Amino acid sequence: MPSITSAEIRTVPASGRSAPPQGHALRLDIQGLRAVAVGLVVLSHAGVSQVSGGYIGVDVFFVISGFLITSLLLRELASTGRVSVRSFYARRALRLLPASSLVIAVTLGAAWLFLSKARLAEYAGDALASALYAVNLRLAEAGTDYLAQNSPPSPFQHFWSLAVEEQFYLVWPLLLLLTWRVARGRRLLIAVPLGGLCLGSFAAGVLLTNSSAPWAYFGSLTRVWELGAGALLALATGRLERLPAALAAPLTWLGLACVTLAALWYDDETPFPGYHALLPVAGTALVLAGGRTPTPHGAGWLLERRPLVWLGGLSYGWYLWHWPLLVIAPAALGRADGTADVPLALGMSAAALGLAWLTLRLVENPVRFHRAFRRRPRRALALGAALSAGASALSLTATAVPPTIEVGDPAPALALALSEAPAPQARLTELLTASPTALPSNLAPPLPKVKSSRSAVYRDGCHVDYAATRTRPCVYGDRSSSRTVVLFGDSHAAQWFPALQRLATARGWKLVSLTKASCKVADVTIISGHKPYTACDTWRSNAIAMIKTLRPAVVVVS
């Protein structure tokens, strides 16, 4: 999710070292396009079925970011012949870190108060990775399904897009400066290696979407081409300025239609990104390209409306705040299933917009425009380092807090009910097989509230990915025990690992975990990514053979 200020959303001269760095026209249509993108993301996350593909808003932001940041760098190169890397990162630190550090701290505190204490260490790890702009790699390694609706994800998961973007900008300014000098400012020559990089990244995204969906979705290398598409547009500024208005206007409407179509057409069954990402990326590029030519009949007529421009200015903060509220608020409000229905989710999204406005007024703008940092990049970098260190230290402290969960003794009310029953075993069976919502609150079994699909089996690489066909016999609990318990299945089974691990430790069991991403235990061939999931069939056969050799006392299947 890019964070571009209004001062940065300006047109850039096509070439010429003597071009002044100021006086460029403000691109209000880009602010409006940012509003459309963040609106699609928020509505999709809120469960509005009509925009089930609203997650493509992130792809829209990637293209916008690549276009605007590259335009700024080209403006500096055209004016001075160099790029001040220190000033570039100082601007990024001032823009990004005050708000993101605040959201990380507040979200971690809310997770500690309202979410499962057994998951706190995992959330703290996510917070640490978010503070260091590496959470996308953590999520890809864990095999998290970003689009899964049946397993509430981490409240920090949305930081993945910021991580992808900043990883790109660790390299891009230096690469652009190098190619500028080698090509002596000739943009066509600069575009050639960038175009090759984009093609390679796109091909990797298509291939990995079918073989390793988490890495395709969260990986930097598979997303580079989207940022690169925006950068190529910035390099083509001179040609775009010569587009006739009669052509530019339809291009902008066509581009906006492509973005809208993707949001309405795609859903959580769409293999994404893959080649499906072409539609929103191409649509965004058309809007940006056509918008270079001033015309009253283009999509700017809509995108430059004041409410959209205002919302575009809040898009960064809204994106940061909306996701933690959607994940944590249901638990804070005591929702039994831990999820929010659409009305509640929309209410939380509106509250997040209010928080975004407050953050912009009280945190982002006061820091970014403070005179202490004006033309002092070292101070800005020092502040950024301090904020990152503070968020990291808070996350590390949270990882050291032991969960306050007792294992072994039943709830007092449940124990009393069983002791008074004429047939305790039958009464226990009756209670455990009844619908939890039908039980009196004081007798309902204290079932764990699972808030993330990741645990030690993910961190240890025991929950194997889509391509794996061999089992990994990961053993927990008492390894020397004569009583073996096997956990067998897909991520629905893996979500029970934390509870079983605690029981195995407390009761002296040997716990063997055999789980694989999206692989059901039923002996049927699953269709995944529009093709037979044969790796699952092979893995299942190998796992069953291993279970037979283990001769376990119990096999837990989900």
Side-chain angles (χ1 to χ4, degrees), residues 175-512:
L175 182 60
L176 180 61
L177 175 61
L178 176 63
T179 53
W180 176 276
R181 290 180 175 175
V182 171
R184 297 182 179 179
R186 288 172 288 185
R187 298 191 178 203
L188 181 60
L189 294 180
I190 298 174
V192 171
L194 177 59
L197 177 65
C198 290
L199 288 175
S201 172
F202 174 73
V206 172
L207 293 174
L208 285 177
T209 297
N210 293 325
S211 61
S212 184
W215 279 105
Y217 199 94
F218 295 112
S220 306
L221 296 180
T222 55
R223 295 289 192 160
V224 160
W225 73 275
E226 300 180 24
L227 291 144
L232 286 172
L233 272 180
L235 289 167
T237 297
R239 297 180 182 274
L240 297 179
E241 288 176 341
R242 295 193 290 271
L243 282 176
L247 176 60
L251 285 181
T252 59
W253 285 113
L254 176 61
L256 194 57
C258 289
V259 172
T260 305
L261 177 61
L264 299 178
W265 181 21
Y266 296 171
D267 56 25
D268 57 0
E269 297 296 325
T270 304
F272 202 85
Y275 62 84
H276 287 93
L278 277 173
L279 186 59
V281 169
T284 307
L286 289 175
V287 174
L288 295 176
R292 290 290 295 149
T293 302
T295 170
H297 307 297
W301 175 84
L302 173 64
L303 297 175
E304 293 174 13
R305 299 290 177 176
R306 183 172 296 178
L308 287 179
V309 172
W310 176 82
L311 187 59
L314 295 173
S315 59
Y316 176 54
W318 198 17
Y319 181 82
L320 286 178
W321 283 113
H322 87 284
W323 186 254
L325 282 177
L326 291 179
V327 174
I328 298 175
L333 296 174
R335 290 292 182 102
D337 59 356
T339 60
D341 54 20
V342 173
L344 176 60
L346 291 176
M348 291 299 100
S349 299
L353 183 59
L355 289 174
W357 182 81
L358 288 173
T359 304
L360 181 68
R361 295 289 301 271
L362 302 179
V363 178
E364 295 181 67
N365 283 347
V367 173
R368 187 164 71 249
F369 301 125
H370 198 283
R371 61 184 181 182
F373 304 111
R374 193 173 302 162
R375 298 186 180 87
R376 293 182 175 93
R378 290 184 179 178
R379 290 187 180 182
L381 291 173
L383 175 66
L387 290 172
S388 294
S392 300
L394 183 63
S395 303
L396 289 171
T397 301
T399 61
V401 177
T404 56
I405 295 179
E406 299 297 332
V407 177
D409 295 330
L414 180 60
L416 178 62
L418 295 178
S419 65
E420 295 176 348
Q425 183 63 45
R427 179 56 174 156
L428 178 61
T429 302
E430 178 186 351
L431 289 173
L432 294 179
T433 56
S435 170
T437 58
L439 295 175
S441 60
N442 66 327
L443 294 182
L447 300 178
K449 293 182 178 180
V450 179
K451 293 300 173 185
S452 170
S453 61
R454 286 176 290 107
S455 57
V457 289
Y458 289 87
R459 295 195 302 269
D460 297 343
C462 295
H463 183 73
V464 298
D465 61 18
Y466 293 85
T469 58
R470 305 299 300 178
T471 58
R472 295 192 60 184
C474 295
V475 182
Y476 297 88
D478 184 356
R479 294 171 177 265
S480 61
S481 175
S482 60
R483 174 163 292 186
T484 301
V485 175
V486 173
L487 178 62
F488 177 41
D490 58 5
S491 58
H492 293 270
Q495 72 177 348
W496 293 106
F497 175 83
L500 288 175
Q501 184 186 25
R502 289 185 173 280
L503 287 170
T505 302
R507 307 293 174 84
W509 303 340
K510 176 171 36 175
L511 175 62
V512 179

Side-chain angles (χ1 to χ4, degrees), residues 7-8 12 67-77 91:
E8 294 168 321
V12 183
F67 175 75
L68 293 175
I69 295 299
T70 303
S71 296
L72 286 171
L73 294 172
L74 289 173
R75 182 190 306 171
E76 185 175 356
L77 284 168
R91 291 192 300 268

Side-chain angles (χ1 to χ4, degrees), residues 115-183:
L115 298 185
S116 170
K117 295 297 189 294
R119 305 282 179 173
L120 183 60
E122 296 173 19
Y123 296 146
D126 292 340
L128 177 62
S130 299
L132 300 176
Y133 291 106
V135 73
N136 64 316
L137 304 178
R138 177 177 168 89
L139 294 172
E141 179 65 27
T144 304
D145 182 359
Y146 188 59
L147 305 177
Q149 298 299 315
N150 54 3
S151 180
S154 165
F156 298 95
Q157 188 160 296
H158 64 314
F159 276 88
W160 76 268
S161 58
L162 287 170
V164 167
E165 193 177 340
E166 293 315 299
Q167 288 161 20
F168 175 75
Y169 292 129
L170 279 177
V171 178
W172 179 232
L174 298 173
L175 182 60
L176 180 61
L177 175 61
L178 176 63
T179 53
W180 176 276
R181 290 180 175 175
V182 171

